[in-house]
PDB file of all heavy atoms in Angstrom:
ATOM      1  N   PRO A  23       0.805  -1.227   0.000  1.00  0.00           N
ATOM      2  CA  PRO A  23       0.000   0.000   0.000  1.00  0.00           C
ATOM      3  C   PRO A  23       0.837   1.277   0.000  1.00  0.00           C
ATOM      4  O   PRO A  23       0.380   2.324  -0.457  1.00  0.00           O
ATOM      5  CB  PRO A  23      -0.837  -0.088   1.269  1.00  0.00           C
ATOM      6  CG  PRO A  23      -0.459  -1.316   1.972  1.00  0.00           C
ATOM      7  CD  PRO A  23       0.541  -2.062   1.151  1.00  0.00           C
ATOM      8  N   GLY A  24       2.074   1.209   0.500  1.00  0.00           N
ATOM      9  CA  GLY A  24       2.924   2.396   0.546  1.00  0.00           C
ATOM     10  C   GLY A  24       3.684   2.665  -0.738  1.00  0.00           C
ATOM     11  O   GLY A  24       4.076   3.800  -1.009  1.00  0.00           O
ATOM     12  N   GLU A  25       3.886   1.636  -1.547  1.00  0.00           N
ATOM     13  CA  GLU A  25       4.699   1.793  -2.755  1.00  0.00           C
ATOM     14  C   GLU A  25       4.210   2.909  -3.685  1.00  0.00           C
ATOM     15  O   GLU A  25       5.034   3.689  -4.174  1.00  0.00           O
ATOM     16  CB  GLU A  25       4.788   0.465  -3.503  1.00  0.00           C
ATOM     17  CG  GLU A  25       5.752   0.523  -4.665  1.00  0.00           C
ATOM     18  CD  GLU A  25       5.914  -0.817  -5.362  1.00  0.00           C
ATOM     19  OE1 GLU A  25       6.310  -1.797  -4.694  1.00  0.00           O
ATOM     20  OE2 GLU A  25       5.649  -0.867  -6.582  1.00  0.00           O
ATOM     21  N   PRO A  26       2.900   3.055  -3.942  1.00  0.00           N
ATOM     22  CA  PRO A  26       2.466   4.148  -4.835  1.00  0.00           C
ATOM     23  C   PRO A  26       2.877   5.536  -4.343  1.00  0.00           C
ATOM     24  O   PRO A  26       3.263   6.390  -5.147  1.00  0.00           O
ATOM     25  CB  PRO A  26       0.941   4.002  -4.884  1.00  0.00           C
ATOM     26  CG  PRO A  26       0.699   2.544  -4.600  1.00  0.00           C
ATOM     27  CD  PRO A  26       1.774   2.170  -3.595  1.00  0.00           C
ATOM     28  N   LEU A  27       2.809   5.780  -3.038  1.00  0.00           N
ATOM     29  CA  LEU A  27       3.249   7.075  -2.491  1.00  0.00           C
ATOM     30  C   LEU A  27       4.722   7.296  -2.784  1.00  0.00           C
ATOM     31  O   LEU A  27       5.113   8.358  -3.275  1.00  0.00           O
ATOM     32  CB  LEU A  27       3.015   7.138  -0.976  1.00  0.00           C
ATOM     33  CG  LEU A  27       3.735   8.299  -0.260  1.00  0.00           C
ATOM     34  CD1 LEU A  27       3.163   9.646  -0.668  1.00  0.00           C
ATOM     35  CD2 LEU A  27       3.705   8.108   1.244  1.00  0.00           C
ATOM     36  N   TYR A  28       5.536   6.303  -2.501  1.00  0.00           N
ATOM     37  CA  TYR A  28       6.973   6.475  -2.673  1.00  0.00           C
ATOM     38  C   TYR A  28       7.349   6.627  -4.147  1.00  0.00           C
ATOM     39  O   TYR A  28       8.224   7.436  -4.478  1.00  0.00           O
ATOM     40  CB  TYR A  28       7.731   5.321  -2.011  1.00  0.00           C
ATOM     41  CG  TYR A  28       7.460   5.245  -0.525  1.00  0.00           C
ATOM     42  CD1 TYR A  28       6.908   4.110   0.050  1.00  0.00           C
ATOM     43  CD2 TYR A  28       7.721   6.331   0.312  1.00  0.00           C
ATOM     44  CE1 TYR A  28       6.646   4.050   1.413  1.00  0.00           C
ATOM     45  CE2 TYR A  28       7.462   6.275   1.672  1.00  0.00           C
ATOM     46  CZ  TYR A  28       6.920   5.135   2.211  1.00  0.00           C
ATOM     47  OH  TYR A  28       6.658   5.079   3.553  1.00  0.00           O
ATOM     48  N   LEU A  29       6.687   5.899  -5.023  1.00  0.00           N
ATOM     49  CA  LEU A  29       6.930   6.076  -6.461  1.00  0.00           C
ATOM     50  C   LEU A  29       6.575   7.500  -6.880  1.00  0.00           C
ATOM     51  O   LEU A  29       7.328   8.140  -7.623  1.00  0.00           O
ATOM     52  CB  LEU A  29       6.124   5.066  -7.277  1.00  0.00           C
ATOM     53  CG  LEU A  29       6.602   3.616  -7.228  1.00  0.00           C
ATOM     54  CD1 LEU A  29       5.567   2.693  -7.880  1.00  0.00           C
ATOM     55  CD2 LEU A  29       7.957   3.464  -7.901  1.00  0.00           C
ATOM     56  N   ALA A  30       5.447   8.004  -6.401  1.00  0.00           N
ATOM     57  CA  ALA A  30       5.003   9.363  -6.746  1.00  0.00           C
ATOM     58  C   ALA A  30       5.963  10.426  -6.202  1.00  0.00           C
ATOM     59  O   ALA A  30       6.017  11.532  -6.733  1.00  0.00           O
ATOM     60  CB  ALA A  30       3.593   9.609  -6.211  1.00  0.00           C
ATOM     61  N   CYS A  31       6.728  10.071  -5.163  1.00  0.00           N
ATOM     62  CA  CYS A  31       7.668  11.014  -4.549  1.00  0.00           C
ATOM     63  C   CYS A  31       9.094  10.819  -5.045  1.00  0.00           C
ATOM     64  O   CYS A  31      10.041  11.349  -4.457  1.00  0.00           O
ATOM     65  CB  CYS A  31       7.605  10.890  -3.029  1.00  0.00           C
ATOM     66  SG  CYS A  31       6.040  11.472  -2.335  1.00  0.00           S
ATOM     67  N   GLY A  32       9.269  10.060  -6.122  1.00  0.00           N
ATOM     68  CA  GLY A  32      10.578   9.957  -6.755  1.00  0.00           C
ATOM     69  C   GLY A  32      11.432   8.767  -6.357  1.00  0.00           C
ATOM     70  O   GLY A  32      12.571   8.660  -6.806  1.00  0.00           O
ATOM     71  N   PHE A  33      10.923   7.877  -5.529  1.00  0.00           N
ATOM     72  CA  PHE A  33      11.665   6.661  -5.186  1.00  0.00           C
ATOM     73  C   PHE A  33      11.553   5.664  -6.329  1.00  0.00           C
ATOM     74  O   PHE A  33      10.581   5.677  -7.078  1.00  0.00           O
ATOM     75  CB  PHE A  33      11.110   6.020  -3.909  1.00  0.00           C
ATOM     76  CG  PHE A  33      11.532   6.711  -2.652  1.00  0.00           C
ATOM     77  CD1 PHE A  33      10.881   7.854  -2.223  1.00  0.00           C
ATOM     78  CD2 PHE A  33      12.582   6.215  -1.892  1.00  0.00           C
ATOM     79  CE1 PHE A  33      11.260   8.495  -1.052  1.00  0.00           C
ATOM     80  CE2 PHE A  33      12.969   6.847  -0.728  1.00  0.00           C
ATOM     81  CZ  PHE A  33      12.315   7.991  -0.306  1.00  0.00           C
ATOM     82  N   GLN A  34      12.550   4.798  -6.446  1.00  0.00           N
ATOM     83  CA  GLN A  34      12.535   3.735  -7.442  1.00  0.00           C
ATOM     84  C   GLN A  34      12.748   2.400  -6.761  1.00  0.00           C
ATOM     85  O   GLN A  34      13.575   2.290  -5.848  1.00  0.00           O
ATOM     86  CB  GLN A  34      13.627   3.958  -8.488  1.00  0.00           C
ATOM     87  CG  GLN A  34      13.404   5.211  -9.315  1.00  0.00           C
ATOM     88  CD  GLN A  34      14.481   5.396 -10.360  1.00  0.00           C
ATOM     89  OE1 GLN A  34      15.597   4.906 -10.236  1.00  0.00           O
ATOM     90  NE2 GLN A  34      14.130   6.117 -11.414  1.00  0.00           N
ATOM     91  N   VAL A  35      12.013   1.395  -7.226  1.00  0.00           N
ATOM     92  CA  VAL A  35      12.182   0.041  -6.712  1.00  0.00           C
ATOM     93  C   VAL A  35      13.493  -0.521  -7.253  1.00  0.00           C
ATOM     94  O   VAL A  35      13.759  -0.441  -8.446  1.00  0.00           O
ATOM     95  CB  VAL A  35      11.013  -0.873  -7.150  1.00  0.00           C
ATOM     96  CG1 VAL A  35      11.268  -2.322  -6.731  1.00  0.00           C
ATOM     97  CG2 VAL A  35       9.686  -0.361  -6.598  1.00  0.00           C
ATOM     98  N   PHE A  36      14.325  -1.066  -6.370  1.00  0.00           N
ATOM     99  CA  PHE A  36      15.526  -1.737  -6.856  1.00  0.00           C
ATOM    100  C   PHE A  36      15.587  -3.196  -6.409  1.00  0.00           C
ATOM    101  O   PHE A  36      16.452  -3.944  -6.856  1.00  0.00           O
ATOM    102  CB  PHE A  36      16.816  -0.981  -6.488  1.00  0.00           C
ATOM    103  CG  PHE A  36      17.191  -0.990  -5.037  1.00  0.00           C
ATOM    104  CD1 PHE A  36      18.049  -1.965  -4.526  1.00  0.00           C
ATOM    105  CD2 PHE A  36      16.718  -0.011  -4.181  1.00  0.00           C
ATOM    106  CE1 PHE A  36      18.415  -1.963  -3.194  1.00  0.00           C
ATOM    107  CE2 PHE A  36      17.084  -0.001  -2.847  1.00  0.00           C
ATOM    108  CZ  PHE A  36      17.930  -0.980  -2.346  1.00  0.00           C
ATOM    109  N   GLU A  37      14.636  -3.611  -5.573  1.00  0.00           N
ATOM    110  CA  GLU A  37      14.571  -5.022  -5.185  1.00  0.00           C
ATOM    111  C   GLU A  37      13.172  -5.330  -4.671  1.00  0.00           C
ATOM    112  O   GLU A  37      12.615  -4.574  -3.890  1.00  0.00           O
ATOM    113  CB  GLU A  37      15.591  -5.303  -4.076  1.00  0.00           C
ATOM    114  CG  GLU A  37      15.565  -6.724  -3.563  1.00  0.00           C
ATOM    115  CD  GLU A  37      16.460  -6.963  -2.363  1.00  0.00           C
ATOM    116  OE1 GLU A  37      17.005  -5.989  -1.790  1.00  0.00           O
ATOM    117  OE2 GLU A  37      16.608  -8.129  -1.988  1.00  0.00           O
ATOM    118  N   ARG A  38      12.615  -6.428  -5.142  1.00  0.00           N
ATOM    119  CA  ARG A  38      11.370  -6.942  -4.587  1.00  0.00           C
ATOM    120  C   ARG A  38      11.737  -8.180  -3.780  1.00  0.00           C
ATOM    121  O   ARG A  38      12.558  -8.979  -4.204  1.00  0.00           O
ATOM    122  CB  ARG A  38      10.382  -7.280  -5.685  1.00  0.00           C
ATOM    123  CG  ARG A  38       9.936  -6.028  -6.448  1.00  0.00           C
ATOM    124  CD  ARG A  38       8.621  -6.241  -7.168  1.00  0.00           C
ATOM    125  NE  ARG A  38       8.287  -5.083  -7.963  1.00  0.00           N
ATOM    126  CZ  ARG A  38       7.678  -3.988  -7.507  1.00  0.00           C
ATOM    127  NH1 ARG A  38       7.326  -3.915  -6.246  1.00  0.00           N
ATOM    128  NH2 ARG A  38       7.409  -2.978  -8.303  1.00  0.00           N
ATOM    129  N   PHE A  39      11.160  -8.291  -2.598  1.00  0.00           N
ATOM    130  CA  PHE A  39      11.463  -9.442  -1.758  1.00  0.00           C
ATOM    131  C   PHE A  39      10.237  -9.812  -0.930  1.00  0.00           C
ATOM    132  O   PHE A  39       9.250  -9.085  -0.916  1.00  0.00           O
ATOM    133  CB  PHE A  39      12.686  -9.175  -0.872  1.00  0.00           C
ATOM    134  CG  PHE A  39      12.502  -8.084   0.158  1.00  0.00           C
ATOM    135  CD1 PHE A  39      12.265  -8.403   1.483  1.00  0.00           C
ATOM    136  CD2 PHE A  39      12.599  -6.739  -0.201  1.00  0.00           C
ATOM    137  CE1 PHE A  39      12.109  -7.405   2.436  1.00  0.00           C
ATOM    138  CE2 PHE A  39      12.451  -5.734   0.745  1.00  0.00           C
ATOM    139  CZ  PHE A  39      12.205  -6.068   2.066  1.00  0.00           C
ATOM    140  N   GLN A  40      10.316 -10.948  -0.298  1.00  0.00           N
ATOM    141  CA  GLN A  40       9.238 -11.419   0.565  1.00  0.00           C
ATOM    142  C   GLN A  40       9.798 -11.683   1.944  1.00  0.00           C
ATOM    143  O   GLN A  40      10.963 -12.053   2.078  1.00  0.00           O
ATOM    144  CB  GLN A  40       8.646 -12.720   0.018  1.00  0.00           C
ATOM    145  CG  GLN A  40       8.042 -12.583  -1.350  1.00  0.00           C
ATOM    146  CD  GLN A  40       7.498 -13.924  -1.849  1.00  0.00           C
ATOM    147  OE1 GLN A  40       7.603 -14.944  -1.195  1.00  0.00           O
ATOM    148  NE2 GLN A  40       6.914 -13.901  -3.030  1.00  0.00           N
ATOM    149  N   ILE A  41       8.953 -11.491   2.938  1.00  0.00           N
ATOM    150  CA  ILE A  41       9.369 -11.881   4.279  1.00  0.00           C
ATOM    151  C   ILE A  41       8.479 -13.031   4.740  1.00  0.00           C
ATOM    152  O   ILE A  41       7.279 -13.048   4.473  1.00  0.00           O
ATOM    153  CB  ILE A  41       9.369 -10.707   5.281  1.00  0.00           C
ATOM    154  CG1 ILE A  41       8.026  -9.997   5.347  1.00  0.00           C
ATOM    155  CG2 ILE A  41      10.437  -9.713   4.941  1.00  0.00           C
ATOM    156  CD1 ILE A  41       7.960  -8.953   6.445  1.00  0.00           C
ATOM    157  N   ASP A  42       9.116 -13.992   5.377  1.00  0.00           N
ATOM    158  CA  ASP A  42       8.421 -15.145   5.933  1.00  0.00           C
ATOM    159  C   ASP A  42       8.025 -14.814   7.363  1.00  0.00           C
ATOM    160  O   ASP A  42       8.880 -14.469   8.188  1.00  0.00           O
ATOM    161  CB  ASP A  42       9.326 -16.377   5.915  1.00  0.00           C
ATOM    162  CG  ASP A  42       9.687 -16.804   4.500  1.00  0.00           C
ATOM    163  OD1 ASP A  42       8.813 -16.730   3.617  1.00  0.00           O
ATOM    164  OD2 ASP A  42      10.848 -17.198   4.287  1.00  0.00           O
ATOM    165  N   LEU A  43       6.737 -14.934   7.627  1.00  0.00           N
ATOM    166  CA  LEU A  43       6.207 -14.611   8.943  1.00  0.00           C
ATOM    167  C   LEU A  43       5.669 -15.877   9.601  1.00  0.00           C
ATOM    168  O   LEU A  43       5.385 -16.862   8.917  1.00  0.00           O
ATOM    169  CB  LEU A  43       5.105 -13.553   8.794  1.00  0.00           C
ATOM    170  CG  LEU A  43       5.579 -12.237   8.185  1.00  0.00           C
ATOM    171  CD1 LEU A  43       4.425 -11.398   7.694  1.00  0.00           C
ATOM    172  CD2 LEU A  43       6.419 -11.476   9.203  1.00  0.00           C
ATOM    173  N   PRO A  44       5.524 -15.878  10.923  1.00  0.00           N
ATOM    174  CA  PRO A  44       4.984 -17.061  11.595  1.00  0.00           C
ATOM    175  C   PRO A  44       3.635 -17.485  11.011  1.00  0.00           C
ATOM    176  O   PRO A  44       2.885 -16.675  10.468  1.00  0.00           O
ATOM    177  CB  PRO A  44       4.833 -16.584  13.046  1.00  0.00           C
ATOM    178  CG  PRO A  44       5.902 -15.548  13.197  1.00  0.00           C
ATOM    179  CD  PRO A  44       5.921 -14.835  11.869  1.00  0.00           C
ATOM    180  N   GLY A  45       3.368 -18.768  11.104  1.00  0.00           N
ATOM    181  CA  GLY A  45       2.109 -19.302  10.581  1.00  0.00           C
ATOM    182  C   GLY A  45       2.155 -19.571   9.094  1.00  0.00           C
ATOM    183  O   GLY A  45       1.115 -19.762   8.465  1.00  0.00           O
ATOM    184  N   GLY A  46       3.347 -19.556   8.512  1.00  0.00           N
ATOM    185  CA  GLY A  46       3.471 -19.815   7.086  1.00  0.00           C
ATOM    186  C   GLY A  46       3.020 -18.660   6.202  1.00  0.00           C
ATOM    187  O   GLY A  46       2.812 -18.827   5.007  1.00  0.00           O
ATOM    188  N   VAL A  47       2.899 -17.489   6.766  1.00  0.00           N
ATOM    189  CA  VAL A  47       2.468 -16.311   6.008  1.00  0.00           C
ATOM    190  C   VAL A  47       3.679 -15.684   5.326  1.00  0.00           C
ATOM    191  O   VAL A  47       4.727 -15.496   5.946  1.00  0.00           O
ATOM    192  CB  VAL A  47       1.772 -15.284   6.931  1.00  0.00           C
ATOM    193  CG1 VAL A  47       1.405 -14.018   6.166  1.00  0.00           C
ATOM    194  CG2 VAL A  47       0.543 -15.901   7.581  1.00  0.00           C
ATOM    195  N   ILE A  48       3.533 -15.358   4.054  1.00  0.00           N
ATOM    196  CA  ILE A  48       4.581 -14.700   3.277  1.00  0.00           C
ATOM    197  C   ILE A  48       4.019 -13.368   2.789  1.00  0.00           C
ATOM    198  O   ILE A  48       2.898 -13.316   2.271  1.00  0.00           O
ATOM    199  CB  ILE A  48       5.006 -15.570   2.077  1.00  0.00           C
ATOM    200  CG1 ILE A  48       5.595 -16.885   2.583  1.00  0.00           C
ATOM    201  CG2 ILE A  48       6.004 -14.825   1.198  1.00  0.00           C
ATOM    202  CD1 ILE A  48       5.843 -17.905   1.494  1.00  0.00           C
ATOM    203  N   ALA A  49       4.779 -12.282   2.957  1.00  0.00           N
ATOM    204  CA  ALA A  49       4.321 -10.951   2.553  1.00  0.00           C
ATOM    205  C   ALA A  49       5.358 -10.287   1.659  1.00  0.00           C
ATOM    206  O   ALA A  49       6.538 -10.239   2.002  1.00  0.00           O
ATOM    207  CB  ALA A  49       4.048 -10.087   3.774  1.00  0.00           C
TER     208      ALA A  49
END
């Protein structure tokens, strides 16, 4: 949800990643 704000403010994505959370949840 935050990525659109940062893109609009001049940030650029240089890496997409996932974090493994308890309960087998990946975000």
Side-chain angles (χ1 to χ4, degrees):
E25 187 176 302
L27 166 67
Y28 300 121
L29 288 170
C31 292
F33 283 81
Q34 295 181 336
V35 174
F36 70 93
E37 178 187 9
R38 295 201 185 276
F39 65 102
Q40 299 179 358
I41 55 173
D42 296 321
L43 299 163
V47 176
I48 298 171

